[in-house]
Amino acid sequence: MMRAIILMFDSLNRHMLAPYADTIVEAPNFARLAAQSVTFENFYAGSMPCMPARREMHTGRYNFLHRSWGPLEPFDDSMPEILGNAGIHTHLASDHPHYWEDGGATYHPRYTTWEFFRGQEGDPWKGVVAPPSVDVAGSGGGALDWRAGMKRQDRINRSYMPTEAEHSQTRTVDAGIHFIDTNQAADQWMLQIELFDPHEPFFTHDAYKAMYPHDYDGPEFDWPGYQRVTEPESQVEHARYEYAALVSMCDKSLGRVLDAMDKYDMWKDTLLLVNTDHGFLLGEHGWWAKSVQPWFNELVHLPMFLWDPRTAGADTRRAALAQTIDVAPTMLGYFGLEPTPDMQGRDLAVVLEDDTQVRDAALFGIHGGHVNVTDGRYVYMRAAADPSNGPLEDFTLMPTHMRSRFSPGELAAWEPAEPFTFTKGLRTLKISTHSLMNSWAHGTLLFDLHKDPRQKAPITDEKIELRMLVLLADLMHASDAPASQFARLGIPFDTAPTTDHLLVRSQPERAEVDLGALPPLSSFSDNGAALNIPILELLQDPHRRTTLERRLPHLVTTELVNIPAQLTLYQLAKVSPIPATTLEHLAEELLPVPA
């Protein structure tokens, strides 16, 4: 028999699992899994965040260089669809809400059958017009929190999941176990159980919270914002325990899948792959969450476990550099199918056998952010060459964002692009765009993971930087990256990079800011009153505008397009690095001039 199970989590932190690190998290089933499978030591993300990672799982190739979050394209290969066309039944059971939004709507129909369970992260599920009885403002973010509507809906959704049995995670695993129970004697199937957890918000019931007793007397806080940490340490610690509780719930779900494999003696004929899309920062590097900061190792160095009954290898570890793009070729290879010509990933069966190196370097990133490369020892995070973070373009035939279609204004000036090597001869729409995150503001970073595994001290070494830059450029060319990406990063398109194209030495001040903590408002002059004035209001005052132009010239000229009317300098500093000394000067110089 040939069967396979993928158990995928979202935002699962490798550095909080016992098979990888000393941890506060109680997760005995992950230890049990490691004892029963091959643990990958150097498994990295590729395209991020959620749906770009899933596009990689389908297509076996990077996608973040060509477009932002979006659906599968008409020219994309889909691993589940290829399996289905070959007579292998594929089934998806998931509570991941992004599959059913505009930016994910073409993924689940690629499976033979699928089922979805509602209620995660503000999923527009239950219609309740009256406001919830509990104030959710304490979940983090403040008055400008873009998640306010989602939090209200999330509070409503939680009221419809009063017990663990009714939690969408539990119901998703119930469905996966039902598929196994129903089809355990059948051949030729692939089951994907995909859990949204432990993605934020960290919603669990009391039994899991009780596993992590701690003194905390503050606001409800299980949904940190995508920003710098400004909360007191007790609140940061509380969020970590809330996350740990959710991971323990995920561990129980994993145990149920392992129990089913034991029950039906499936280890002899069923592949099991357990993975995630990316991690989540819980105060490391002074940040919460993901996407708005550089992609530190806590976010991209991922847990991955693989059991292949053909090669066995229980309780073993593999050091070869592997990535999410390898999932599709691995699943196809297991069922005797060849990867498509457009797939960049490799079948990990050769890694299981003898730890064969399948690549010299791995590319990863988000559209419009840093373009990053690692060879397993060094990590090079290449930022934009100038404050514009451009040019930046979307190449797509499916013009949708996460939860919306492209607007007529965005599409008004589109141009036809020449076909890429992977678009099956099709010309896409080429759409000029911008990114919410500006990689230039964070600077270019180079880390030595052997000497500095926690990425606390970026290095300056032009010989190493040039080698990593050449690797990065080669991988970009191998991915048929558009010339605009090379221009954005300040890398030549038609020739090899030289020392003239290095950026680490020229951008150290922004890197230092990015790795430091943001001081609390109370530490600034007059308790930071001037930093709490809306930026647009500051710009109306000629004296204050002159101060902003002097202290933050790139901000005034490039970053104030379509900003929220009430955005303050301190709120901006939570997501875009501003040196503490600059904030100190602004706090003093932007105060009203005495009459």
Side-chain angles (χ1 to χ4, degrees):
M1 287 193 180
M2 299 292 289
R3 296 95 61 89
I5 298 172
I6 296 174
L7 175 57
M8 184 176 184
F9 299 93
D10 194 302
S11 306
L12 181 63
N13 285 342
R14 162 197 165 109
H15 62 288
M16 296 184 75
L17 295 178
Y20 290 105
D22 186 18
T23 177
I24 64 169
V25 177
E26 295 185 33
N29 288 304
F30 275 99
R32 174 183 168 196
L33 171 66
Q36 186 63 55
S37 65
V38 174
T39 300
F40 278 69
E41 296 278 15
N42 283 301
F43 194 92
Y44 273 79
S47 302
M48 293 165 289
C50 300
M51 297 321 294
R54 283 150 184 82
R55 190 175 172 205
E56 284 196 350
M57 284 186 61
H58 280 251
T59 65
R61 64 175 300 114
Y62 306 120
N63 60 77
F64 74 96
L65 294 167
H66 297 89
R67 74 150 298 159
S68 52
W69 182 300
L72 284 172
E73 299 278 353
F75 48 79
D76 279 347
D77 301 319
S78 167
M79 173 266 292
E81 187 170 51
I82 293 169
L83 291 176
N85 290 340
I88 297 143
H89 189 108
T90 61
H91 184 78
L92 172 67
S94 180
D95 64 343
H96 201 291
H98 297 312
Y99 275 123
W100 286 266
E101 296 167 340
D102 290 317
T106 58
Y107 291 87
H108 60 279
R110 307 282 75 77
Y111 296 82
T112 312
T113 50
W114 53 270
E115 49 193 323
F116 174 49
F117 300 91
R118 305 291 303 270
Q120 288 278 19
E121 197 203 23
D123 171 26
W125 178 31
K126 296 296 187 179
V128 177
V129 178
S133 58
V134 178
D135 179 16
V136 297
S139 296
L144 293 178
D145 193 346
W146 54 269
R147 302 163 303 164
M150 293 172 61
K151 287 180 177 179
R152 178 189 181 279
Q153 183 64 54
D154 181 70
R155 178 60 58 185
I156 293 168
N157 292 347
R158 293 190 196 193
S159 72
Y160 285 87
M161 294 184 275
T163 67
E164 181 183 348
E166 294 161 293
H167 195 294
S168 62
Q169 180 188 147
T170 304
R171 291 183 292 134
T172 300
V173 178
D174 287 346
I177 299 301
H178 176 75
F179 182 91
I180 294 173
D181 289 340
T182 303
N183 299 290
Q184 51 86 19
D187 193 9
Q188 298 289 293
W189 54 256
M190 188 273 281
L191 166 65
Q192 184 168 328
I193 305 173
E194 187 173 331
L195 304 179
F196 190 63
D197 294 325
H199 191 290
E200 79 283 355
F202 311 138
F203 167 47
T204 59
H205 293 88
D206 289 343
Y208 294 101
K209 297 181 189 299
M211 296 171 66
Y212 302 93
H214 60 285
D215 293 328
Y216 175 66
D217 184 19
E220 176 182 304
F221 193 66
D222 61 10
W223 198 342
Y226 284 43
Q227 59 191 35
R228 284 186 174 280
V229 174
T230 57
E231 296 79 6
E233 180 55 34
S234 62
Q235 195 166 341
V236 175
E237 180 185 58
H238 175 68
R240 292 184 184 129
Y241 283 129
E242 293 284 84
Y243 177 86
L246 188 52
V247 175
S248 290
M249 183 179 179
C250 292
D251 182 76
K252 180 178 179 181
S253 293
L254 167 63
R256 296 177 64 195
V257 175
L258 300 181
D259 289 346
M261 292 191 68
D262 289 344
K263 177 181 178 181
Y264 296 117
D265 193 22
M266 297 175 72
W267 298 101
K268 67 179 185 298
D269 57 23
T270 305
L271 179 145
L272 174 65
L273 187 153
V274 178
N275 71 323
T276 189
D277 49 1
H278 50 69
F280 189 91
L281 290 177
L282 292 160
E284 299 91 349
H285 307 283
W287 286 95
W288 292 115
K290 60 182 186 288
S291 297
V292 297
Q293 66 282 96
W295 290 92
F296 295 111
N297 251 26
E298 290 90 348
L299 296 171
V300 297
H301 194 189
L302 306 181
M304 212 286 276
F305 306 87
L306 182 58
W307 166 258
D308 186 330
R310 299 170 303 175
T311 52
D315 198 19
T316 59
R317 303 178 89 89
R318 293 289 182 260
L321 189 58
Q323 287 196 273
T324 304
I325 58 173
D326 298 325
V327 172
T330 299
M331 296 304 295
L332 293 175
Y334 178 71
F335 285 102
L337 303 175
E338 292 294 322
T340 69
D342 291 333
M343 289 184 175
Q344 297 173 288
R346 297 288 303 277
D347 185 346
L348 295 178
V350 296
V351 177
L352 295 179
E353 290 175 357
D354 57 12
D355 212 4
T356 297
Q357 294 292 328
V358 294
R359 61 176 48 82
D360 295 325
L363 204 64
F364 59 92
I366 188 173
H367 189 254
H370 288 81
V371 177
N372 313 273
V373 65
T374 183
D375 61 359
R377 173 168 182 176
Y378 297 99
V379 171
Y380 183 54
M381 301 177 167
R382 180 75 178 199
D386 65 62
S388 70
N389 196 37
L392 185 63
E393 298 165 328
D394 263 317
F395 296 89
T396 181
L397 289 173
M398 301 289 290
T400 59
H401 299 298
M402 181 192 297
R403 298 186 179 93
S404 66
R405 299 166 292 174
F406 276 41
S407 68
E410 289 176 284
L411 292 170
W414 73 270
E415 299 176 1
E418 290 302 311
F420 290 101
T421 57
F422 56 88
T423 60
K424 312 293 192 289
L426 297 177
R427 304 177 77 182
T428 63
L429 284 68
K430 181 171 71 173
I431 305 165
S432 293
T433 187
H434 65 278
S435 174
L436 293 176
M437 67 291 297
N438 187 337
S439 62
W440 179 88
H442 298 276
T444 296
L445 299 159
L446 177 65
F447 293 99
D448 182 343
L449 297 179
H450 287 191
K451 297 180 179 179
D452 181 26
R454 302 176 106 185
Q455 294 176 297
K456 297 287 189 180
I459 63 173
T460 301
D461 186 314
E462 292 192 348
K463 182 179 179 181
I464 295 172
E465 183 182 1
L466 181 58
R467 182 175 68 81
M468 298 302 291
L469 178 57
V470 170
L471 278 175
L472 184 144
D474 288 347
L475 284 172
M476 289 177 65
H477 280 299
S479 303
D480 202 8
S484 56
Q485 285 283 6
F486 287 82
R488 182 175 72 93
L489 301 176
I491 305 173
F493 183 74
D494 295 318
T495 60
T498 68
T499 54
D500 292 337
H501 304 107
L502 304 183
L503 289 181
V504 167
R505 193 176 297 279
S506 65
Q507 298 183 336
E509 71 286 347
R510 291 195 296 285
E512 290 174 8
V513 173
D514 207 48
L515 294 169
L518 179 63
L521 264 177
S522 59
S523 68
F524 296 102
S525 296
D526 200 20
N527 288 316
L531 303 180
N532 249 346
I533 300 172
I535 297 172
L536 294 181
E537 182 180 326
L538 294 172
L539 291 172
Q540 300 305 310
D541 182 322
H543 169 74
R544 287 168 162 174
R545 184 183 185 94
T546 299
T547 300
L548 283 176
E549 289 173 342
R550 177 165 49 86
R551 294 292 183 187
L552 297 172
H554 69 280
L555 172 66
V556 175
T557 57
T558 66
E559 299 250 349
L560 295 181
V561 180
N562 298 323
I563 68 167
Q566 297 303 310
L567 184 71
T568 69
L569 282 172
Y570 192 73
Q571 289 167 330
L572 183 65
K574 289 183 177 182
V575 296
S576 182
I578 301 175
T581 53
T582 300
L583 289 173
E584 290 170 3
H585 289 305
L586 290 170
E588 296 174 357
E589 297 169 7
L590 293 175
L591 287 172
V593 177

